[in-house]
Amino acid sequence: MLTAEIKRRFLKFFEDQQHTVVPSASLVSEDPTVMFTIAGMVPFIPYMTGMVPAPYPRATSVQKCIRTNDIEEVGKTPRHGTFFQMGGNFSFGDYFKKEAIGFAYTFLTTPQDQGGLGFNPDDLWVTVYKDDDEAFNYWLELSDIPAERIQRLGADTNYWSAGKPGGPAGPDSEIFFDRGPAYGIDGGPATDDDRYVEIWNLVFMQYERGADNGDGTFELLGELPQKNIDTGIGLERIAFLLQGVDNMYETDQVRPVLDRAAELSGRVYGNGGEDDVRLRVVADHVRSALMLITDGVQPGNEGRGYILRRLLRRVIRNMRLLGVETATFPELFPVSMAAMKDAYPEVERDFDRISRIAYAEEQTFLRTLAQGNAIFAEAADAAKSGGLNALDGAVAFKLHDTFGFPIDLTMEMAAEAGLNVNRDKFDSLMREQVERAKADARARRGALADLSVYSAFRAMGETAFVGYTELEAQSRVIGIIANGESVTSASAGETVEIILNETSLYAESGGQDADHGSLRSAVGGFEGRVLDVQKPVQGLVAHTVEVVAGTIAVDDEVETVVDAVYRRQASEAHSATHLIHAALRDTLGPDAHQTGSYNKAGYMRLDFGWSEPLSAETRSELEEITNRAVRQDYEVITREMSLDDAKALGARALFGEKYGSVVRMVEIGGPWSRELCGGTHVANTSQIGLVNLIGESSVGATNRRVEAFVGRDAFSDFAAERALVRELTSGLRVPRDQVADRVASLVNELKQANKRIAELESAKLRDKLPELLDQAEQIGGMRVVATFLGTVAGADDVRSLALEARERLGSDAAVVAFIGEANGKPSIVVATNQAARDLGANAGAMVKVASKQLGGGGGGKPDVAQGGGQDATQHAAALTEVRDLLRSL
């Protein structure tokens, strides 16, 4: 049975049991503390905790998931995958243990010709929480599984929680498939043997979890407002069992990539060695990357982008270990797309964009590999020249951190060079980096308010936004939050969050900054300045307000007042963002899709998928198309409609955004610009006034950013440029059309003058050389010239003078160490001749110890080496280090 068919049957079964079928959410998690959607229940947590009223009593979904905490185990076990699909059925206070157990058993054991999966009950085992007599008895009542195959286990395996305080928790019951004695020992799931594959987890959510106790357990804060059911079925695990293969990597959605990788490498899969693991890693990671890019993730150096980049580079590394050093993504990604398109048609529709991003990342890393190889070669040469048998762990860490080299790749290269790697130093630096990352994550989590404080207010209903048509609105205070806790009132001088039943103030979302404005009330003489407007939970708006005068209390009537000037300018900027997006597609083609945006009064920026800088001509064309749309005075039309109808009209959605069944479509110039957007906009494009493109830059290997001033700010920027041109024409005494030529001429004259000065400085240095050589001292049978040269034109002068000095000192053992100061920073060069090297002198070693004194670093070969630093005043101490090292030989 194909994986897509398992998905179809699962959803059909629960739809027949009156469950609402909910489409998969994005792999990009809405939770700011979590990068990815890691389980099928994640999108439903607000309903389970009661923070947001559930729109349906029971639901079912097949959710796309990504987990990277076990990435090193991928390929080694039959069940660890980075991307996987989790089917789930959920009840929000509707049914509980009995029904959940009955549904699971029925679907698993119903014959395939009747719509089920056809598992034999004799192959199934069940586990329950050790104290859960209720679940144990339901299994005996509702299934044919005997008591001896229902095992009671502890909290470490059969008690589930959402992983953080405020989330749901409760006992669970897991269903396992016994693969038979050929796969391991007898004894059931309690043995924790790979023979028993977990295929379904039924979680009985009854409690709200509290803080960790420090020993792996956590406190329970009490019963949830309603008992919920969350279940998870692993489609990949079900698939490899029903398809009669040994692991998830051999299923229909993964095996084609594995086979193509084997063909490219000439390796044979199935021998049970390291090659099998590498081929599985390639197959898993290609599919995972395909799905991440589909959901809008771009390779980067942090967060989600770093995870994607790591997956892609692990593919390249494993293909290298399989003997393939050329680009392979154009061979592997189309195969993965073909395997996944039946279940996820979007991977085929969007494959041009997906493949462009993946292929560009591979080419970038192949170039990075070349750069890293050069650094590795230099470090390896220095280690061997210094008589060492191991590569410095700091070098291995730099290769990992800066160039993306996995440590095992560095170790492989070191072994080829006859070296080990100082793993202790590498591991120490890695631990420091991990601790820094954890501390940063803890700080981010600590900065977030406990969202549970909003649940009572959200239960009263959604905050109505009336600001599309009204800038002032009457409202009622339904809640006040101070320092993360609900309070009944606030007075002048306090800054609090105020929850209203409706508001005219726009909350930051969709790339648009929050409105500026105020709250006021005749009751208590209240006046409040709005500092921020956010949506802490779905459907609820929180106003951060500085109480300027009077008092405010729950149930008070207040008036929300939008700063009309700021709103107008913000709307101009947001509408301009849509125009530039459409102009980009006109100029570059449909691949230039928006990946992110930010706009506020007078300013906008837009990130879009593209891998090359825009030429000056393209930027000019982009600006002209945008302002032409402004001049054409297009009507800006907003309409609410179903998501399917909007897509049918060609409306564009932003990757990673979550849309409901009813969406708001903003149309400008008919089909020229149709986008799903909840922001505020002008009524006609002429109201934008002017768009001034001020910058275009890279924000990643496959992402570019354009920035623009809009409206009054655009005019002000042009006026400032005009004033500057006037000042230049006056100062240079040339007409405006000759300013550029005159400035270019002056710049050329300045370059020539600087070049002549540098030549004179270099000649002056060379003239001092005889005097410097006369100052040579004897150290350990070597003539040593160690001198601070003072201010020099550049580091090249120090190097050329050191090499010339070495030549003049002849064939007798000689060492030259010169330090010069260029642009306020020191530069050191050490040169040795063959006779000095025969006595043990090593230029690289001397530069290394001297550069530390200068506050920097450096190195090189034994004959000549170069370094630098930040503190030129330490030149004497640096030269002393050189002399001391020579004396120690």
Side-chain angles (χ1 to χ4, degrees):
M1 186 181 296
L2 297 179
T3 308
E5 174 63 13
I6 297 170
K7 174 182 176 180
R8 188 195 67 77
R9 288 183 179 222
F10 180 85
L11 295 175
K12 176 68 166 56
F13 175 84
F14 283 101
E15 185 177 28
D16 290 344
Q17 311 303 322
Q18 290 76 54
H19 290 67
T20 299
V21 176
V22 179
S24 173
S26 170
L27 285 169
V28 177
S29 174
E30 289 188 313
D31 186 337
T33 68
V34 181
M35 285 193 291
F36 298 118
T37 302
I38 60 172
M41 51 75 64
V42 169
F44 301 99
I45 287 179
Y47 308 148
M48 294 172 180
T49 60
M51 184 176 296
V52 176
Y56 24 66
R58 52 177 75 178
T60 186
S61 71
V62 172
Q63 174 63 47
K64 300 176 292 185
C65 303
I66 286 280
R67 288 184 191 170
T68 58
N69 55 324
D70 291 329
I71 194 170
E72 299 299 335
E73 296 302 312
V74 170
K76 299 176 182 178
T77 75
R79 62 184 185 275
H80 280 101
T82 312
F83 170 84
F84 60 97
Q85 302 156 86
M86 186 177 287
N89 58 286
F90 309 93
S91 165
F92 312 110
D94 185 16
Y95 61 81
F96 203 48
K97 291 182 184 180
K98 181 176 183 179
E99 293 82 356
I101 290 171
F103 288 150
Y105 182 75
T106 299
F107 178 60
L108 283 175
T109 58
T110 295
Q112 292 187 9
D113 59 5
Q114 297 176 30
L117 296 184
F119 280 96
N120 187 332
D122 293 342
D123 295 327
L124 301 180
W125 288 69
V126 170
T127 64
V128 297
Y129 181 56
K130 59 185 180 65
D131 297 329
D132 194 349
D133 294 334
E134 186 179 21
F136 185 93
N137 290 329
Y138 280 139
W139 275 111
L140 289 178
E141 174 188 343
L142 299 171
S143 78
D144 296 323
I145 300 174
E148 58 269 22
R149 292 212 311 273
I150 306 172
Q151 297 183 322
R152 296 176 182 262
L153 299 179
D156 57 332
T157 60
N158 280 76
Y159 207 98
W160 187 93
S161 86
K164 58 183 179 180
D172 67 37
S173 177
E174 298 177 353
I175 307 171
F176 291 78
F177 178 84
D178 180 3
R179 304 173 75 194
Y183 290 90
I185 61 176
D186 197 5
T191 63
D192 195 29
D193 192 86
D194 281 344
R195 168 177 169 173
Y196 304 94
V197 179
E198 179 194 344
I199 56 176
W200 207 325
N201 187 6
L202 314 177
V203 180
F204 312 126
M205 293 186 178
Q206 299 174 246
Y207 308 104
E208 179 183 354
R209 71 157 283 175
D212 291 327
N213 293 324
D215 58 358
T217 64
F218 47 84
E219 62 177 322
L220 296 176
L221 302 181
E223 293 266 349
L224 291 173
Q226 59 189 23
K227 292 181 179 180
N228 303 310
I229 286 295
D230 153 39
T231 83
I233 179 175
L235 261 67
E236 280 75 13
R237 298 185 184 188
I238 295 289
F240 86 71
L241 295 173
L242 292 183
Q243 291 174 20
V245 296
D246 284 340
N247 53 66
M248 62 164 287
Y249 314 103
E250 299 174 12
T251 60
D252 62 295
Q253 290 185 343
V254 187
R255 180 64 186 255
V257 180
L258 187 154
D259 288 339
R260 184 65 185 126
E263 291 174 13
L264 293 172
S265 64
R267 306 297 173 96
V268 177
Y269 176 74
N271 291 329
E274 283 296 315
D275 284 354
D276 281 8
V277 174
R278 291 163 183 160
L279 289 167
R280 291 171 190 158
V281 170
V282 168
D284 171 88
H285 287 6
V286 166
R287 183 174 75 143
S288 301
L290 173 80
M291 301 308 294
L292 281 171
I293 298 172
T294 300
D295 275 7
V297 180
Q298 300 253 1
N301 291 327
E302 58 184 29
R304 301 180 183 96
Y306 175 75
I307 296 296
L308 173 58
R309 175 162 285 168
R310 185 183 179 198
L311 292 172
L312 293 170
R313 291 185 173 187
R314 278 172 59 89
V315 173
I316 298 168
R317 179 199 56 139
N318 279 278
M319 290 303 294
R320 174 191 172 95
L321 294 175
L322 290 165
V324 183
E325 298 191 8
T326 56
T328 60
F329 286 4
E331 298 288 340
L332 299 176
F333 271 80
V335 175
S336 187
M337 179 272 290
M340 296 300 293
K341 66 181 182 181
D342 286 344
Y344 301 97
E346 60 269 26
V347 300
E348 183 176 31
R349 290 196 304 266
D350 203 22
F351 192 67
D352 285 345
R353 179 189 67 87
I354 297 165
S355 60
R356 178 173 51 79
I357 291 171
Y359 301 168
E361 180 67 13
E362 182 176 35
Q363 291 300 327
T364 297
F365 186 49
L366 291 175
R367 291 193 296 269
T368 302
L369 275 173
Q371 297 169 356
N373 285 339
I375 289 177
F376 172 85
E378 183 177 339
D381 287 345
K384 288 190 284 189
S385 299
L388 303 175
N389 63 0
L391 190 75
D392 188 349
V395 174
F397 179 76
K398 179 180 180 180
L399 288 170
H400 163 82
D401 196 47
T402 305
F403 295 96
F405 277 42
I407 182 59
D408 44 0
L409 175 58
T410 302
M411 292 176 69
E412 174 202 356
M413 294 167 60
E416 291 172 356
L419 295 170
N420 297 315
V421 175
N422 185 339
R423 280 300 301 266
D424 290 342
K425 180 68 175 293
F426 174 84
D427 291 339
S428 174
L429 292 169
M430 284 295 294
R431 283 194 297 271
E432 291 177 13
Q433 185 185 64
V434 169
E435 286 305 314
R436 287 195 298 271
K438 286 182 177 178
D440 181 56
R442 285 194 296 269
R444 288 198 303 271
R445 285 195 297 269
L448 294 170
D450 181 357
L451 295 182
S452 62
V453 72
Y454 300 103
S455 59
F457 307 130
R458 180 60 182 83
M460 299 179 187
E462 295 191 11
T463 305
F465 176 63
V466 297
Y468 291 131
T469 56
E470 305 292 334
L471 297 184
E472 298 182 6
Q474 294 297 319
S475 187
R476 181 175 61 85
V477 178
I478 63 173
I480 301 174
I481 300 171
N483 299 317
E485 296 185 357
S486 178
V487 297
T488 58
S489 64
S491 303
E494 293 186 74
T495 298
V496 295
E497 290 180 81
I498 297 179
I499 313 296
L500 305 173
N501 67 332
E502 67 178 54
T503 183
S504 59
L505 290 150
Y506 184 82
E508 180 181 357
S509 58
Q512 182 174 333
D513 207 2
D515 270 337
H516 291 185
S518 61
L519 303 183
R520 60 194 182 199
S521 173
V523 179
F526 166 73
E527 291 183 18
R529 184 163 64 95
V530 176
L531 305 178
D532 195 12
V533 190
Q534 294 290 332
K535 297 177 180 178
V537 297
Q538 179 186 339
L540 192 74
V541 175
H543 308 74
T544 301
V545 177
E546 177 188 1
V547 182
V548 176
T551 60
I552 185 73
V554 173
D555 285 332
D556 281 357
E557 296 293 324
V558 298
E559 186 178 20
T560 65
V561 182
V562 176
D563 181 328
V565 174
Y566 188 90
R567 165 67 76 81
R568 183 179 69 249
Q569 294 177 337
S571 298
E572 292 167 1
H574 200 154
S575 297
T577 305
H578 286 227
L579 298 188
I580 286 185
H581 189 200
L584 278 167
R585 296 196 304 275
D586 272 3
T587 306
L588 303 176
D591 278 354
H593 62 91
Q594 178 180 340
T595 58
S597 67
Y598 173 71
N599 47 76
K600 62 179 181 178
Y603 168 84
M604 57 110 339
R605 70 169 185 247
L606 183 141
D607 297 344
F608 61 100
W610 202 252
S611 55
E612 299 176 354
L614 303 186
S615 66
E617 293 78 9
T618 300
R619 289 165 61 179
S620 179
E621 182 182 4
L622 177 63
E623 189 176 63
E624 170 56 28
I625 292 173
T626 302
N627 282 295
R628 186 188 308 146
V630 173
R631 295 191 299 273
Q632 287 176 336
D633 195 24
Y634 289 134
E635 184 180 5
V636 179
I637 300 172
T638 60
R639 289 186 280 169
E640 289 192 351
M641 60 183 66
S642 72
L643 179 60
D644 289 340
D645 287 346
K647 287 181 176 180
L649 288 171
R652 291 181 172 269
L654 185 64
F655 288 106
E657 285 290 312
K658 184 177 181 180
Y659 299 98
S661 57
V662 177
V663 296
R664 184 171 183 262
M665 186 182 76
V666 177
E667 179 180 281
I668 305 175
W672 185 65
S673 173
R674 284 177 176 150
E675 298 192 29
L676 304 184
C677 179
T680 66
H681 291 275
V682 296
N684 298 84
T685 57
S686 61
Q687 294 173 350
I688 295 171
L690 183 65
V691 179
N692 175 11
L693 197 64
I694 59 172
E696 188 268 339
S697 58
S698 170
V699 285
T702 56
N703 230 22
R704 307 293 298 180
R705 170 174 292 172
V706 289
E707 298 176 88
F709 288 136
V710 180
R712 186 179 65 183
D713 288 62
F715 178 81
S716 297
D717 188 62
F718 278 130
E721 287 187 1
R722 183 174 62 183
L724 178 61
V725 171
R726 284 177 177 172
E727 187 175 343
L728 288 171
T729 58
S730 175
L732 298 174
R733 297 183 179 180
V734 295
R736 184 171 65 177
D737 59 358
Q738 296 179 20
V739 166
D741 290 340
R742 180 60 179 144
V743 170
S745 175
L746 288 173
V747 169
N748 185 57
E749 291 174 16
L750 181 60
K751 287 181 179 178
Q752 294 300 320
N754 286 335
K755 182 179 178 181
R756 179 60 180 157
I757 291 170
E759 291 171 349
L760 292 172
E761 291 289 345
S762 296
K764 185 178 177 181
L765 270 179
R766 286 195 302 273
D767 290 343
K768 290 175 60 178
L769 193 54
E771 177 185 346
L772 297 175
L773 296 178
D774 288 343
Q775 299 172 5
E777 52 191 305
Q778 287 292 128
I779 300 178
M782 293 175 280
R783 292 182 69 193
V784 179
V785 182
T787 304
F788 177 57
L789 302 174
T791 302
V792 296
D796 287 344
D797 280 352
V798 181
R799 186 181 183 89
S800 61
L801 192 67
L803 295 176
E804 186 173 345
R806 182 181 64 178
E807 293 304 313
R808 291 197 187 188
L809 287 171
S811 59
D812 291 339
V815 175
V816 178
F818 286 160
I819 297 176
E821 183 179 355
N823 300 318
K825 294 185 178 181
S827 178
I828 180 172
V829 177
V830 177
T832 64
N833 62 14
Q834 186 59 53
R837 294 194 292 277
D838 291 342
L839 294 175
N842 185 312
M846 286 182 275
V847 162
K848 188 173 183 179
V849 296
S851 295
K852 287 183 180 179
Q853 290 292 329
L854 299 172
K861 297 182 179 179
D863 60 334
V864 61
Q866 186 169 332
Q870 303 294 322
D871 188 358
T873 66
Q874 296 300 310
H875 59 81
L879 294 173
T880 297
E881 289 285 347
V882 172
R883 295 186 183 98
D884 289 346
L885 184 56
L886 291 172
R887 291 190 183 101
S888 70
L889 297 177

